[in-house]
């Protein structure tokens, strides 16, 4: 049974023409046999082409939406009763005009797809002549501090032949999670003298138990003593970008957020993020007799009622 074309292209049934074409272009680039050397790439490419052929034509799409897998049997003024049908047990017709073969894969050259843009040199040169090498992709894992500072890093990556190779990477300061760094010419070798592809490294910033990154802003909890919160204090901490001094205002309660402007993630092309310290009042788990006595004296003279209105 033929696969659902929506599932093949990773689409919902509400997808419009632009979404269908966008999904097809993305998958066709990925699975074209001249680009993808996986054993099932040719079959996947063929399957993707057939799914797009079904959904890119409004009339054919409407029949599929109505009749499902049997849509080919409902083609309007189709063949006479008893005549063999393609897809319904009969012989498949030969290639249609405008269809070009790539090995055992048929590529529909019709429709509104810009194939020269989609597959570049592979369409123009096909199986002969120089061709651009395929691009490779990998992940670059960084700590928050490494992402803030940037600088040169050495990355070791496995090669298709099983060997490993080191790459020197210049990480820009303030790189964000999900951004890609391009190493020109470090992808697959070109064919017959063609230029090599590129290596793209996707940045992955590792979670930090102390800090939370939101865009370019950095958030963290600032533990303070009851006396620091009540009387105010200047506290030095080692923030991700370096040491900073935080001024805790007098009378601060837990949950109060203090902003240090421009002390977050740098932005080489704009305004850096901010550093946010959220106050957390901490008490000692055990009290000495002297400290307990002082707390008792404070409680006796204090007129502060934090639960007013709840009792």
């Amino acid at each position: 049974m033929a696969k659902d074309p929506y599932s093949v292209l990773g689409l919902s049934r509400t997808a419009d023409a632009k979404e269908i074409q966008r999904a097809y272009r993305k998958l066709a680039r990925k699975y074209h046999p001249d680009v993808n050397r996986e054993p099932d790439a040719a079959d996947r490419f063929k399957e993707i082409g057939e799914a797009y052929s079904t959904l890119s034509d409004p009339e054919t799409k409407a029949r599929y939406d109505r009749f499902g897998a049997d849509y080919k049997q409902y083609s309007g003024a189709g063949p006479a009763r008893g005549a063999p049908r393609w897809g319904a047990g009969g012989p498949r017709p030969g290639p249609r005009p405008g269809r070009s073969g790539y090995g055992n894969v048929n590529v529909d050259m019709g429709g509104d797809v810009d194939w020269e843009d989609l597959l570049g040199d592979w369409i123009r040169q096909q199986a002969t002549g120089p061709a651009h090498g395929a691009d490779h992709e990998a992940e670059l894992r960084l700590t928050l501090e490494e992402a803030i500072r940037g600088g040169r890093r050495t990355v070791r990556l496995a090669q298709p032949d099983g060997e490993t190779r080191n790459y020197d990477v210049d990480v820009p300061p303030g790189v964000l999670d999900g951004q890609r760094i391009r190493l020109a010419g470090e992808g697959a070798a070109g064919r017959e003298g063609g230029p090599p592809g590129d290596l793209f490294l996707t940045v992955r910033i590792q979670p930090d138990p102390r800090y939370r990154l939101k865009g370019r802003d950095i958030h963290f909890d600032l533990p303070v003593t009851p006396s620091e919160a009540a009387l105010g204090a200047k506290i030095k901490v080692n923030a991700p970008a370096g040491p900073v001094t935080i001024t805790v205002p007098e009378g601060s309660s837990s949950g109060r957020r203090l902003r240090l402007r421009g002390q977050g993630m740098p932005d080489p092309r704009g305004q850096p993020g901010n550093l946010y310290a959220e106050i957390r009042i901490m008490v000692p788990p055990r009290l000495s007799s002297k400290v307990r006595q002082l707390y008792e004296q404070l409680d006796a003279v204090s007129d502060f009622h934090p639960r007013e209105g709840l009792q």
Side-chain angles (χ1 to χ4, degrees), residues 52-118:
Y52 179 72
S53 178
T54 299
L55 300 182
S56 61
D57 179 79
E59 181 181 343
T60 306
K61 179 178 181 297
R63 290 204 312 272
Y64 183 84
D65 290 342
R66 182 176 181 183
F67 300 112
D70 297 327
Y71 76 103
K72 292 181 181 178
Q73 300 182 34
Y74 300 90
S75 56
R81 182 180 300 274
R85 296 177 182 266
W86 174 24
R92 180 172 178 165
R96 296 181 295 174
R99 186 172 286 266
S100 174
Y102 283 77
N104 62 346
V105 179
N106 286 326
V107 182
D108 188 352
M109 302 296 289
D112 54 0
V113 176
D114 186 345
W115 279 90
E116 189 164 297
D117 172 64
L118 179 63

Side-chain angles (χ1 to χ4, degrees), residues 91-249:
R92 180 172 178 165
R96 296 181 295 174
R99 186 172 286 266
S100 174
Y102 283 77
N104 62 346
V105 179
N106 286 326
V107 182
D108 188 352
M109 302 296 289
D112 54 0
V113 176
D114 186 345
W115 279 90
E116 189 164 297
D117 172 64
L118 179 63
L119 297 175
D121 289 342
W122 292 291
I123 291 296
R124 294 192 299 273
Q125 299 166 2
Q126 298 188 31
T128 62
H132 196 286
D135 294 335
H136 287 172
E137 299 204 15
E139 289 189 348
L140 175 61
R141 298 182 179 275
L142 301 174
T143 64
L144 179 57
E145 288 84 353
E146 289 171 337
I148 290 174
R149 293 193 303 267
R152 174 155 291 216
R153 284 179 53 81
T154 300
V155 180
R156 174 171 291 189
L157 298 176
Q159 303 299 303
D161 59 6
E163 298 293 326
T164 59
R165 178 184 167 188
N166 291 337
Y167 297 87
D168 291 327
V169 185
D170 289 321
V171 179
V175 67
L176 295 179
D177 188 82
Q179 288 187 340
R180 298 204 307 170
I181 299 175
R182 174 175 172 257
L183 277 63
E186 297 293 354
R191 189 181 65 205
E192 298 188 24
D198 300 328
L199 172 61
F200 290 91
L201 299 175
T202 301
V203 172
R204 295 299 177 207
I205 299 178
Q206 303 305 292
D208 192 297
R210 301 162 296 172
Y211 304 105
R212 302 176 297 277
L213 183 61
K214 298 180 180 180
R216 293 194 177 274
D217 294 333
I218 300 173
H219 298 249
F220 74 103
D221 295 335
L222 178 64
V224 299
T225 67
S227 59
E228 288 173 332
L231 303 175
K234 289 187 179 295
I235 301 174
K236 292 183 177 179
V237 298
N238 290 318
V244 296
T245 298
I246 300 175
T247 299
V248 177

Side-chain angles (χ1 to χ4, degrees), residues 250-262:
E250 178 180 326
S252 294
S253 297
S254 283
R256 183 170 186 173
R257 194 171 64 173
L258 308 176
R259 181 179 67 179
L260 281 75
R261 188 183 298 274

